[in-house]
Amino acid sequence: MATRTRLARLWPLSKPSALPLIRPYHSYDHPPPPGPFNPTESSILEAAIPHIPTHGFTHTTLSIGASDAGYIAASTNLFPNGAFSLVHYHLYTQRLALAKHQHIISPPPREGEKPIGIGGKVKALTWERLMGNKEIIHRWQEALALIAQPSHLPTAISELSSLSDEIWFLSGDTSVDTSWYTKRASLSAIYAATELFMTTDKSPNFDDTRDFLDRRFKDVQIVGGTMGSVTQWAGFTATAALNVLRSKGVRI
Amino acid sequence: MALYTSSKHAKFLATGLPIYDFLAPSLLQASRASLQIRHLTKAKRYHSAAASNEKHDKSPSQPSRNPRSGADAASNPPPLKKPLTQAQRDFLTSALRVNQAGELAATLIYAAQTPPIISSHPHLRPLMKHMYDQEATHFSTFNALMAKHRIRPTAMYPLWTLAASALGWGTAIMGREAAMACTEAVETEIGGHYNGQVRVLLEMAEQMEKNGDDIGDELKDLIETIRRIRDEELEHLDHAVEHDAKQAVPHELLTGVIRAGCKGAIWVSERV
Ligand SMILES: [Fe+2]
Ligand SMILES: [Fe+2]
């Protein structure tokens, strides 16, 4: 019996998925599991990325990438998801690139200046991620059309939640209570809305996008603040009521 | 991985493991002596399982257990070792998640029990405080591990918060014996649960060693931490029995229901 239960425990509890996007158990002793792309795929996709501004998220870009990387153009057969692989690769590499922004993640301490808090880091990293779309933003609506296909949607949603998780983690957030969920959900919503706004932004240096993003963060602060005080108030009232009864000699 | 789950291998490991990592009911009687034994065997077992690491007596407050900042993690890439398998990572994830949920519940149970209990039995104040403090340390240990390893907390967090407070308060209202019976039931389940985890982790370590992989300090520390916490849970169980948990009426029904509840909560927290 003991053997059987233990064996059962060694089977993965979650169904093994083809795309190990959500990486459980981040180890510091052991290297991370392989990413979603093998070396050949990565080299073709990497070579294709510079052609997106001209040719978009299309099969043409993929073929050009394959020939640039030294493969025959037919190697695009490697990608059963076709042009969506370009979208996925962009999302994946841009997410991992966030860790390079060391000036935000661990800025050198400056004299007489308050160090940037977790919230500030979240905002700054979200902005950096949006700026990762700068070169391809005029093509992003093509990508959104690919993302909206039912077979691609799970991957894209999973990438979005991984992005939120990455930003909160890099910002140094360590909360592991219910707020873990609300933080990631609200950041995902803010990011998705701002990214969509950015596709139509014609202002210099994306100033309008910046304002839009700031307003979204403010909205969440107001909602989050209210929610927090309601829970606090409920807890306080319950404790106060118990204490009144206790002072009256009720043994509760 | 195939070796790892083959039943033949598991059977060998199951019989080859020393008895003291199983929760034997006879250990529960003589509390001090049994704790002594557990501590002695702990050290011995450790050195046979993990090649050598003399300065291993780490307290949970040491920096190695604190979550590393993203910066730190990014600038010091991990050494070249084999990645953990999907099954291993899944096990570690659900193990830490359920442990955090359990310690959350434990802190809340003791916090809810304390006011009614000490108002009728003031002499129990130090004991209740001692047990609460230990649970609070366990909780913060697992919180830190969750943040460090980027593990999602259980989605049932708000539900467990409510259920645990209600259980603690309800049993305390029923009296000292019922409160102690609650502790007895909860700690029996938790002790057994931690024992199960230690067994799986030791199998994992043994398997990795056999394959010539370095299991690394991270897993060694985790095994030690869970062992230490398990011993403290069993200590709580001893305290509960010393304070007439068995005199609670109806003892079997009460502990039976609470233990079934714990099992259910563990099952759910491992999955969602
Ligand atoms: Fe505990
Ligand atoms: Fe305990």
Side-chain angles (χ1 to χ4, degrees):
Chain A
M1 181 58 213
T3 311
R4 217 180 66 208
T5 34
R6 214 141 16 90
L7 275 177
R9 296 293 304 281
L10 285 173
W11 293 109
L13 289 172
S14 58
K15 283 209 193 87
S17 78
L19 302 160
L21 287 174
I22 295 170
R23 303 161 299 159
Y25 195 79
H26 182 81
S27 177
Y28 299 87
D29 262 359
H30 300 267
F37 303 102
N38 67 36
T40 315
E41 290 166 350
S42 295
S43 65
I44 294 176
L45 290 166
E46 201 187 328
I49 288 286
H51 301 288
I52 293 176
T54 332
H55 301 283
F57 289 92
T58 57
H59 227 93
T60 318
T61 307
L62 214 48
S63 322
I64 300 175
S67 45
D68 278 9
Y71 296 90
I72 51 165
S75 324
T76 54
N77 288 339
L78 280 173
F79 303 98
N81 289 326
F84 178 73
S85 301
L86 284 169
V87 181
H88 187 191
Y89 187 76
H90 174 77
L91 294 173
Y92 173 73
T93 47
Q94 287 296 328
R95 165 163 62 87
L96 293 191
L98 286 178
K100 287 177 194 134
H101 294 285
Q102 285 303 318
H103 61 284
I104 299 172
I105 296 161
S106 47
R110 271 187 235 155
E111 281 295 313
E113 238 180 81
K114 226 178 83 191
I116 173 173
I118 292 174
K121 289 183 185 178
V122 168
K123 278 185 199 172
L125 286 172
T126 307
W127 181 249
E128 291 300 341
R129 175 59 191 84
L130 286 166
M131 287 300 103
N133 285 355
K134 209 159 69 182
E135 304 302 324
I136 51 98
I137 195 68
H138 59 288
R139 292 288 192 172
W140 192 243
Q141 292 196 349
E142 292 169 21
L144 291 175
L146 289 167
I147 284 173
Q149 288 178 20
S151 57
H152 302 149
L153 203 54
T155 309
I157 289 176
S158 174
E159 263 303 329
L160 180 61
S161 70
S162 299
L163 174 66
S164 300
D165 185 64
E166 185 80 0
I167 292 177
W168 280 108
F169 174 73
L170 291 177
S171 302
D173 180 60
T174 56
S175 54
V176 279
D177 50 14
T178 326
S179 73
W180 188 96
Y181 289 92
T182 49
K183 279 173 177 164
R184 278 153 187 78
S186 41
L187 183 57
S188 298
I190 290 176
Y191 179 80
T194 315
E195 194 187 62
L196 191 62
F197 180 90
M198 194 176 160
T199 57
T200 56
D201 184 5
K202 298 275 178 280
S203 62
N205 299 320
F206 298 102
D207 285 341
D208 289 352
T209 303
R210 178 111 229 183
D211 290 344
F212 183 88
L213 182 66
D214 284 345
R215 283 201 302 278
R216 295 291 79 75
F217 274 117
K218 266 203 195 89
D219 291 350
V220 168
Q221 261 162 21
I222 292 162
V223 175
T226 322
M227 284 303 288
S229 31
V230 167
T231 353
Q232 237 173 27
W233 175 84
F236 175 77
T237 314
T239 322
L242 271 179
N243 283 336
V244 168
L245 289 174
R246 274 173 194 147
S247 72
K248 300 259 181 271
V250 183
R251 288 191 163 169
I252 49 173
Chain B
M1 191 52 237
L3 254 180
Y4 201 105
T5 45
S6 85
S7 62
K8 200 176 146 198
H9 182 70
K11 240 179 241 158
F12 163 76
L13 280 176
T15 47
L17 276 170
I19 188 77
Y20 39 76
D21 266 314
F22 293 83
L23 182 61
S26 59
L27 283 177
L28 310 177
Q29 301 307 321
S31 67
R32 294 300 120 207
S34 65
L35 276 175
Q36 278 285 323
I37 292 165
R38 287 200 285 265
H39 281 303
L40 286 173
T41 51
K42 190 172 86 173
K44 198 177 147 214
R45 186 72 188 85
Y46 174 72
H47 285 292
S48 60
S52 71
N53 195 343
E54 291 302 324
K55 43 183 195 302
H56 193 71
D57 258 336
K58 283 178 182 168
S59 69
S61 57
Q62 264 190 271
S64 72
R65 289 224 170 76
N66 293 342
R68 282 163 54 154
S69 71
D72 191 14
S75 56
N76 301 315
L80 280 177
K81 284 179 196 164
K82 261 189 228 162
L84 296 169
T85 66
Q86 180 74 37
Q88 286 169 337
R89 284 182 298 120
D90 272 358
F91 172 76
L92 291 165
T93 304
S94 74
L96 289 176
R97 178 180 303 136
V98 70
N99 293 357
Q100 186 217 21
E103 299 300 347
L104 164 77
T107 39
L108 291 170
I109 289 172
Y110 285 116
Q113 278 182 344
T114 301
I117 288 293
I118 62 173
S119 78
S120 40
H121 304 280
H123 70 284
L124 289 179
R125 184 192 291 270
L127 175 67
M128 295 303 288
K129 184 172 170 7
H130 171 71
M131 296 203 289
Y132 172 81
D133 287 347
Q134 283 190 327
E135 297 301 356
T137 315
H138 301 168
F139 186 41
S140 59
T141 303
F142 284 119
N143 281 343
L145 284 170
M146 295 274 283
K148 177 182 168 184
H149 297 300
R150 305 179 66 168
I151 296 170
R152 168 180 71 79
T154 171
M156 294 292 158
Y157 204 96
L159 184 63
W160 297 157
T161 306
L162 255 170
S165 304
L167 176 63
W169 188 74
T171 49
I173 292 297
M174 289 167 70
R176 179 179 65 106
E177 291 84 358
M180 291 297 165
C182 169
T183 303
E184 182 202 339
V186 171
E187 303 292 5
T188 306
E189 280 308 318
I190 299 285
H193 163 77
Y194 280 141
N195 259 332
Q197 278 188 0
V198 170
R199 276 201 306 261
V200 177
L201 287 169
L202 286 176
E203 278 177 33
M204 201 188 272
E206 216 157 313
Q207 188 59 54
M208 286 166 93
E209 239 165 45
K210 223 179 250 169
N211 294 346
D213 297 340
D214 183 8
I215 75 158
D217 285 344
E218 212 172 83
L219 286 178
K220 284 183 204 163
D221 278 3
L222 183 65
I223 295 174
E224 267 326 87
T225 305
I226 296 179
R227 271 206 176 117
R228 178 178 52 78
I229 291 178
R230 184 244 354 238
D231 289 345
E232 289 177 3
E233 309 297 7
L234 293 180
E235 196 191 308
H236 298 169
L237 175 54
D238 294 338
H239 289 315
V241 174
E242 274 163 27
H243 287 88
D244 303 329
K246 305 272 185 213
Q247 253 102 71
V249 179
H251 178 261
E252 292 310 317
L253 179 65
L254 195 57
T255 52
V257 167
I258 297 173
R259 287 182 63 173
C262 290
K263 283 200 185 93
I266 288 173
W267 189 88
V268 171
S269 301
E270 277 173 347
R271 283 159 181 84
V272 286

